[in-house]
Amino acid sequence: TAGMRHRAALVAGSLALALVGQIPEAAGQGPAPAEWRAFEGSWSISGRRQTVATGGGAEAAIVEWRGAVALSRGDGLGRGFHGQALGFDDGQGVSVGRAVWTDERGDRVYSRLKGEPLATGRRIFGTITGGTGRYEGLEGEYSFTWQYVLAAEGGEFQGRGVRLDGRVRRPGPTP
């Protein structure tokens, strides 16, 4: 009957449209990766430094710091974090480490650190390697400059990282 042919044509048309909608996915052309989102802020810290002589007047150091990461501009991240970092300075101008920023919900952003030794005016570069909760799958980069680093007795110190500038994104599916 005409009604059955009409229903069959509608079902066939719907099936064809559904299959056409799958072609870009099947060809590996899924949704485009998310755009980069810029952020900026500062990192106020206190910490501890332990050193060992390496010869020639140089010292290698293990450095641990923690404090407030305050973002003044940007999308894709919260505005405030508790930041923690562990680093190693080889005494020859190379510093590496790891950092984690934890927001008010307990969600974390993880990063690798690399840069110059911990001192006023020196620069640190971070590579965001992922996170938990709302930051899961996050990638990005940032850098900051030590505005000041004040040493106290017993290896204790305080400092402030300024011009903390970076960008983040959540990558799209890979082909």
Side-chain angles (χ1 to χ4, degrees):
T1 69
M4 290 179 81
R5 280 191 300 246
H6 181 67
R7 254 187 258 135
L10 283 175
V11 168
S14 297
L15 181 59
L17 285 174
L19 289 174
V20 167
Q22 296 299 313
I23 290 173
E25 289 286 328
Q29 299 174 1
E35 291 186 23
W36 288 104
R37 297 175 181 254
F39 65 89
E40 61 186 47
S42 63
W43 194 350
S44 299
I45 58 130
S46 62
R48 182 169 182 81
R49 179 182 171 142
Q50 296 178 332
T51 61
V52 62
T54 59
E59 291 183 325
I62 296 173
V63 181
E64 176 271 330
W65 74 77
R66 58 187 68 228
V69 177
L71 300 183
S72 57
R73 182 183 73 81
D75 295 326
L77 291 173
R79 290 289 185 212
F81 295 87
H82 174 75
Q84 295 176 266
L86 290 173
F88 174 73
D89 174 355
D90 74 351
Q92 301 297 312
V94 176
S95 294
V96 295
R98 290 291 206 161
V100 59
W101 298 354
T102 306
D103 71 10
E104 73 281 355
R105 293 198 264 182
D107 295 338
R108 295 179 173 175
V109 175
Y110 300 113
S111 60
R112 284 190 313 269
L113 302 175
K114 185 173 183 179
E116 301 171 305
L118 180 68
T120 299
R122 301 293 177 95
R123 197 133 179 89
I124 300 291
F125 299 89
T127 301
I128 296 172
T129 59
T132 63
R134 63 182 169 165
Y135 307 118
E136 188 171 345
L138 198 67
E139 63 181 24
E141 57 195 20
Y142 62 92
S143 64
F144 63 91
T145 301
W146 291 114
Q147 180 182 22
Y148 63 84
V149 177
L150 305 173
E153 292 191 28
E156 303 287 323
F157 66 89
Q158 292 186 351
R160 183 164 191 254
V162 295
R163 293 191 305 277
L164 191 159
D165 299 310
R167 64 186 190 154
V168 294
R169 73 174 177 180
R170 281 186 182 74
T174 56

